Amino acid sequence: MDQQPAPGRRNRLVLLLLLLPLVATLVPEFYNFDKPSIGGMPFFYWWQLLWIAGVAVCVGIVYLATRSTR
Amino acid sequence: MIPAFNGLEFGIVLGMFVVVAVIGFAATRWRRGTSLASLEEWGLGGRRFGTVVSWFLIGGDLYTAYTFVAVPALLFGVGAAGFFAVPYTIAVFPLVMFAAARMWSVCHEHGYATAADFVRGRHGSSILALLVAITGIVATMPYIALQLTGIRAVIETMGIGGDWPLWIAFVVLAAYTFTSGLRAPAMVAFVKDILIYVMVLVAVIYIPYKLGGYNVIFHGAQSALAAKGYSTLLSGSQYLGYTTLALGSALALFLYPHAVTGVLAARSRNVVKKNMSLLPAYSLMLGFIALLGYMALAAHVKPVGGTAAKPDTTTIVPVLFNDEFPHWFAGIAFGAIVIGALVPAAIMAIAAANTFARDIYKPYIRPAASDREEGLVSQIVSVLLKLGAVAVIVSLKLTFALEFQLIGGVIVIQILPSVVLGLYTRWYHRWALVAGWIAGMGLSVYMLYVTPSATTAHFGNASFALSTWGLHTKMTIWTGIVGVVANLVVATVLTPLLARLPRGNDETKPGDFGEAEAPPIPFGPGPVVSQT
């Protein structure tokens, strides 16, 4: 990276990561299906369970990008 | 059918209860400051908890008997709609991450111990602070009662008659919370969570193995639900209810006094933010526990207790464990559920008691109260709250565990404009916020009042049928969302109209809310430049 973006701007873009888990899990139109199922578990269930890991990663990245240095 | 009493199960649960009580009393000595005799030390653990302790404390606090008992009961009863608990406990972390960090910073700076403390300092309105305090306490009481129904479900399943075990459990809990304060549930939470994780891990592997795999479980659940008119997938008319229930519950969760207490007890702002990415580990546990409801359907579990028309479905998880596990492991799992209910009940009682002592007793009853007296009042009130919860549960014989929590959420979300918007902007006028609270609360309580359940005419459910207002649809919406939107509209419209009335004094400064970071909501005051 030859050019560092201003910290404020970079933080703002990173914040978009917080929207991903919200959109992915609060809109049932995206996942209210039976197929594809995994090991007998319908898509509806494993998709939402998978986003638990997703939210941990997204929030974790935002934490690392915005944590206080004090 | 009353299940047979098993001495081994009872002995294991009793033994675990005794161990936890000993830990609870011993916690007095743990990382103690100069004295426990103040609200700061007794009720906030001296604000010294690091990442790990905070994780156990907040996790033990937010994932309660509701998780272990009420959510699987909901999937058992109504199918896919009950799974809202998973998107709820996903959405909460991105939504509250920055607000919780700002709350921690401003409360740390000014020594606020409750949300009402912050509202008084920020908006300069003692009436608004009183409303926030009362809202928090009233919303917490049914939540404490919900923990009791979790314990009672275990007691019923073990074949023990009478309410005496509930009284004993809560008297002992009240005693060690009185002496040790927030340190007791923080320490017990370690034991609780390790036990719960073991229990869940075993349950989600062993029970599907015994029943023949997840394929069999979902097919069995689907045919059992279809017979009652439900399904393992949502119907189109359930989407709105599912989304608003998950979103609204997520917005409400960190407004509860016990959640605020958990956040404020953290040592630093980073501890709070870091935990927002670590706490979803509990959501994973919740998701698998929720599926126990389907395992119970597939295993043809019959709930115990309740009436023939309205069986007590909160007992299905204990009954499932009783049927599928050997007695010794069922005993451990039961003990885990009991302890899992005691930890949050203790934190909730402490948080509500702190709110009473700090925001009602001190300003309205004894303005001259010393720190020591304030702490003592909080200790006594925490005991009274717990015993009151037992009395209510025992006398009313309430069985609808989850509805308690949903109605609590509808109430507590009405303080969102005062607290959360207050963290970002001083634009709102204090009297407009008061008026918004009255409008939102009034509308919500009215909507709850006109909602029947299968067995009652009023306060049946927190999901409001839009057909009540003449709309030709089967859709429902979470009552709290409608209430809080009305609340926000009234507060926003009235703020410019009330401009002539004096504004409250704001004792906070922009730099009190934390360091330079982008505001996560668009109308925030812009990046705050660090003063230091």
Side-chain angles (χ1 to χ4, degrees):
Chain A
M1 258 207 271
D2 51 353
Q3 208 177 356
Q4 286 284 334
R9 186 174 165 74
R10 195 191 60 189
N11 287 354
R12 272 169 202 277
L13 286 177
V14 144
L15 290 178
L16 290 175
L17 274 178
L18 296 181
L19 282 177
L20 269 183
L22 298 180
V23 175
T25 60
L26 291 176
V27 186
E29 279 85 348
F30 292 156
Y31 56 79
N32 189 33
F33 311 112
D34 205 17
K35 300 284 173 205
S37 62
I38 293 183
M41 190 182 284
F43 182 71
F44 180 82
Y45 296 90
W46 68 256
W47 170 258
Q48 292 182 78
L49 290 175
L50 194 67
W51 270 101
I52 296 171
V55 75
V57 170
C58 291
V59 173
I61 293 172
V62 173
Y63 162 70
L64 291 176
T66 64
R67 71 184 150 171
S68 323
T69 41
R70 273 197 294 201
Chain B
M1 186 194 71
I2 303 292
F5 176 77
N6 182 285
L8 179 64
E9 274 178 11
F10 180 72
I12 289 174
V13 173
L14 186 68
M16 287 164 70
F17 180 76
V18 170
V19 168
V20 160
V22 170
I23 294 173
F25 282 112
T28 321
R29 298 166 177 281
W30 181 44
R31 294 190 183 180
R32 112 179 249 181
T34 45
S35 152
L36 265 182
S38 77
L39 197 147
E40 281 286 308
E41 281 297 326
W42 179 83
L44 283 177
R47 306 194 199 229
R48 275 198 295 278
F49 294 144
T51 301
V52 175
V53 181
S54 291
W55 186 76
F56 278 109
L57 180 73
I58 301 175
D61 186 13
L62 300 184
Y63 298 80
T64 66
Y66 153 79
T67 314
F68 317 124
V69 170
V71 171
L74 203 57
L75 269 87
F76 182 89
V78 303
F83 211 62
F84 87 90
V86 169
Y88 153 33
T89 53
I90 287 174
V92 63
F93 299 107
L95 284 174
V96 306
M97 179 183 197
F98 284 94
R102 290 177 77 88
M103 186 74 175
W104 184 89
S105 291
V106 71
C107 291
H108 190 77
E109 189 68 34
H110 291 271
Y112 301 144
T114 65
D117 276 2
F118 164 68
V119 166
R120 186 183 307 102
R122 175 70 156 165
H123 297 289
S125 169
S126 54
I127 296 288
L128 196 57
L130 182 66
L131 287 177
V132 168
I134 292 173
T135 309
I137 295 171
V138 170
T140 304
M141 292 200 308
Y143 219 161
I144 299 176
L146 173 64
Q147 308 311 315
L148 276 157
T149 63
I151 300 176
R152 189 171 61 184
V154 168
I155 294 169
E156 277 180 347
T157 310
M158 285 198 298
I160 301 167
D163 296 316
W164 58 271
L166 279 184
W167 283 108
I168 292 178
F170 262 50
V171 166
V172 174
L173 175 72
Y176 66 68
T177 319
F178 183 89
T179 58
S180 306
L182 195 61
R183 286 176 171 78
M187 228 170 158
V188 173
F190 280 84
V191 182
K192 171 217 157 191
D193 290 333
I194 290 164
L195 280 169
I196 298 276
Y197 276 108
V198 169
M199 176 191 98
V200 172
L201 210 60
V202 172
V204 298
I205 295 168
Y206 181 76
I207 296 178
Y209 163 78
K210 267 193 86 175
L211 295 177
Y214 278 99
N215 220 350
V216 175
I217 289 168
F218 277 97
H219 278 111
Q222 175 60 36
S223 50
L225 286 167
K228 298 187 282 184
Y230 295 106
S231 163
T232 53
L233 288 180
L234 296 173
S235 68
S237 64
Q238 286 180 310
Y239 284 11
L240 181 67
Y242 192 81
T243 301
T244 54
L245 186 52
L247 175 66
S249 305
L251 290 170
L253 184 61
F254 272 85
L255 294 167
Y256 278 104
H258 60 274
V260 174
T261 298
V263 167
L264 298 190
R267 190 175 56 206
S268 76
R269 178 185 178 91
N270 274 345
V271 165
V272 173
K273 284 170 76 177
K274 200 189 297 174
N275 259 294
M276 296 299 155
S277 81
L278 299 176
L279 284 166
Y282 283 93
S283 305
L284 193 62
M285 178 179 81
L286 177 148
F288 282 111
I289 290 177
L291 295 179
L292 292 174
Y294 286 168
M295 296 180 201
L297 281 173
H300 306 289
V301 161
K302 296 271 177 291
V304 297
T307 59
K310 179 85 188 173
D312 183 3
T313 54
T314 55
T315 57
I316 54 144
V317 167
V319 172
L320 178 71
F321 288 172
N322 211 19
D323 292 351
E324 303 295 328
F325 286 138
H327 286 302
W328 67 270
F329 193 79
I332 292 176
F334 290 172
I337 295 176
V338 170
I339 300 166
L342 293 177
V343 169
I347 307 171
M348 287 167 193
I350 288 170
N354 283 349
T355 304
F356 177 83
R358 185 55 86 81
D359 302 302
I360 294 176
Y361 182 81
K362 189 150 184 185
Y364 292 98
I365 300 173
R366 276 285 300 268
S370 64
D371 284 358
R372 190 186 168 81
E373 182 179 338
E374 192 183 64
L376 189 65
V377 167
S378 193
Q379 283 174 282
I380 292 167
V381 170
S382 86
V383 171
L384 295 179
L385 280 173
K386 285 193 213 72
L387 300 184
V390 183
V392 166
I393 286 291
V394 167
S395 59
L396 295 182
K397 299 280 173 209
L398 295 167
T399 49
F400 318 107
L402 191 62
E403 292 312 324
F404 282 147
Q405 199 270 342
L406 295 181
I407 288 174
V410 170
I411 292 172
V412 84
I413 200 171
Q414 302 307 328
I415 63 174
L416 183 137
S418 305
V419 178
V420 180
L421 295 187
L423 288 169
Y424 291 98
T425 171
R426 260 309 305 276
W427 182 79
Y428 285 93
H429 194 283
R430 53 182 171 168
W431 290 109
L433 289 169
V434 170
W437 183 94
I438 293 169
M441 193 64 85
L443 181 63
S444 303
V445 172
Y446 165 76
M447 288 167 73
L448 290 171
Y449 180 78
V450 298
T451 304
S453 75
T455 48
T456 59
H458 303 294
F459 296 104
N461 202 302
S463 290
F464 182 80
L466 291 176
S467 57
T468 316
W469 284 342
L471 296 168
H472 289 285
T473 173
K474 284 164 78 180
M475 281 199 276
T476 61
I477 189 165
W478 187 61
T479 304
I481 286 277
V482 182
V484 82
V485 168
N487 185 335
L488 283 169
V489 168
V490 169
T492 307
V493 169
L494 285 185
T495 290
L497 296 179
L498 294 177
R500 285 163 175 275
L501 289 176
R503 292 182 68 88
N505 175 43
D506 179 8
E507 66 183 36
T508 65
K509 299 182 300 296
D512 295 346
F513 291 88
E515 293 163 60
E517 59 188 21
I521 55 174
F523 48 89
V528 175
V529 180
S530 180
Q531 305 285 318
T532 48

